[in-house]
Amino acid sequence: MLGVPAPLVLEPQRPYRFTVDDLYCMAANGIIKDDDRVELIEGELVMMPPIDPGHAEGTDNSQHRIDRQIEPQFRVRCQHPVHLSSISHPQPDIAVVKQQSYKDRHPGPDDILLIIEVANSTLAYDLGRKKLMYATAAIPEYWVIDLNDRLLHVFTRPKRGDYTEHRIFAHDESVQSTTLKSIKVRVADLLP
């Protein structure tokens, strides 16, 4: 008598998690092209949306305003990678970092004082997953410029994977950085 075969039990599928080394290997082998807009977020390759004119203008305005007020021991990087961990390598719109050479590496959490993301179509993502990623990396201050509602979200005091303080500033208000005391800007000056 033939036995009844045991039911086939499959393990649930899990997504493959990439590392920063995988990302650079894919780029070196032409899988990811120089002009591909991708970020490595918690092991996932995430396609970034095209930069529309409003986003570009908000990023340029932010870079200009912050750069004019920054102290000499810091510098502003615009849309360049930061290395948060072996599985997170985002490209924030603005990162204020310690002034030093980054020719052999990208700035890491100990180098970064402020990250700014400019958001229209990515607002929920920037206020959600990216916020938690930056808090987990203990980035002391994170700003999200909301182009649609003309607001600025300011997150500070990272603790256990989230920020403990969240303030919202209207377009006609000014914000003082808690991490970089020399930076005080009107929200309207950051907006397109």
Side-chain angles (χ1 to χ4, degrees):
M1 175 187 243
L2 295 174
V4 177
L8 182 62
V9 178
L10 298 175
E11 288 189 33
Q13 292 183 354
R14 295 178 303 198
Y16 180 80
R17 298 285 182 209
F18 294 98
T19 67
V20 173
D21 290 340
D22 295 333
L23 177 71
Y24 282 98
C25 183
M26 287 186 277
N29 288 296
I31 297 167
I32 295 175
K33 309 283 189 270
D34 285 345
D35 58 349
D36 286 342
R37 293 185 31 83
V38 298
E39 293 182 299
L40 182 64
I41 307 294
E42 298 171 328
E44 294 180 15
L45 290 176
V46 177
M47 295 297 295
M48 297 164 42
I51 297 174
D52 64 51
H55 185 280
E57 184 73 8
T59 301
D60 287 348
N61 289 346
S62 299
Q63 180 183 13
H64 177 72
R65 295 293 176 192
I66 301 296
D67 208 24
R68 288 179 43 198
Q69 297 182 32
I70 204 75
E71 296 173 32
Q73 67 267 34
F74 307 112
R75 77 160 110 166
V76 178
R77 290 171 50 103
C78 185
Q79 297 179 333
H80 295 307
V82 295
H83 182 82
L84 301 183
S85 72
S86 65
I87 60 168
S88 290
H89 200 69
Q91 296 179 37
D93 292 314
I94 303 289
V96 179
V97 300
K98 294 176 183 173
Q99 181 71 272
Q100 60 186 342
S101 172
Y102 295 105
K103 68 178 182 171
D104 297 323
R105 67 180 181 88
H106 291 293
D110 292 339
D111 304 309
I112 303 166
L113 291 99
L114 169 65
I115 286 185
I116 302 172
E117 295 284 6
V118 178
N120 45 22
S121 64
T122 62
L123 182 65
Y125 191 68
D126 291 334
L127 293 176
R129 188 171 188 191
K130 273 197 168 175
K131 173 186 70 107
L132 298 176
M133 177 188 62
Y134 291 134
T136 298
I139 304 304
E141 192 167 3
Y142 174 50
W143 294 7
V144 177
I145 301 170
D146 177 349
L147 298 180
N148 298 317
D149 291 328
R150 303 183 59 76
L151 301 171
L152 175 66
H153 294 263
V154 174
F155 298 93
T156 55
R157 299 177 42 111
K159 187 174 183 179
R160 286 186 245 134
D162 203 353
Y163 287 98
T164 59
E165 291 187 14
H166 176 201
R167 297 174 318 205
I168 301 173
F169 295 86
H171 74 279
D172 58 348
E173 294 182 291
S174 292
V175 61
Q176 169 77 53
S177 169
T178 60
T179 307
L180 298 154
K181 299 298 183 191
S182 66
I183 297 177
K184 183 175 183 179
V185 294
R186 288 178 351 126
V187 174
D189 291 338
L190 304 175
L191 296 165

